[in-house]
Amino acid sequence: MRHYAILRLLLACFFLYFAWPLIPEAATELEMFFWGAWLVFFLLVAGSNFATLLRMTNPPVMEQERSNHRQTLKY
């Protein structure tokens, strides 16, 4: 289910596209803290989705494919 990771990356880049022009306009310390935290969150989202795409981590449980094989006990 790699397409979910790609969609999440595209959505994060879409948000960054709209936020990028507003970041240099931060005047107060609170605004700078907000944009710094926002960029850190963006990097976490982008990094985790790239890790899923590169198969460095397992996808979330809801997106993992189930195998339809019946497991039997071996004695």
Side-chain angles (χ1 to χ4, degrees):
M1 300 264 184
R2 298 173 64 166
H3 57 282
Y4 288 131
I6 293 170
L7 287 174
R8 285 189 296 261
L9 274 171
L10 288 173
L11 182 64
C13 290
F14 177 74
F15 288 146
L16 182 65
Y17 173 76
F18 283 105
W20 195 257
L22 299 175
I23 294 173
E25 295 178 8
T28 65
E29 199 171 309
L30 182 63
E31 290 174 337
M32 288 184 219
F33 177 75
F34 170 78
W35 286 117
W38 193 91
L39 287 172
V40 167
F41 182 70
F42 169 79
L43 290 175
L44 286 173
V45 169
S48 65
N49 284 301
F50 275 125
T52 301
L53 281 177
L54 297 174
R55 296 187 180 174
M56 296 171 68
T57 61
N58 291 330
V61 176
M62 293 181 66
E63 296 176 11
Q64 292 179 3
E65 295 183 17
R66 296 181 187 173
S67 61
N68 291 334
H69 299 284
R70 176 180 273 180
Q71 294 180 350
T72 58
L73 296 175
K74 295 181 181 178
Y75 292 104

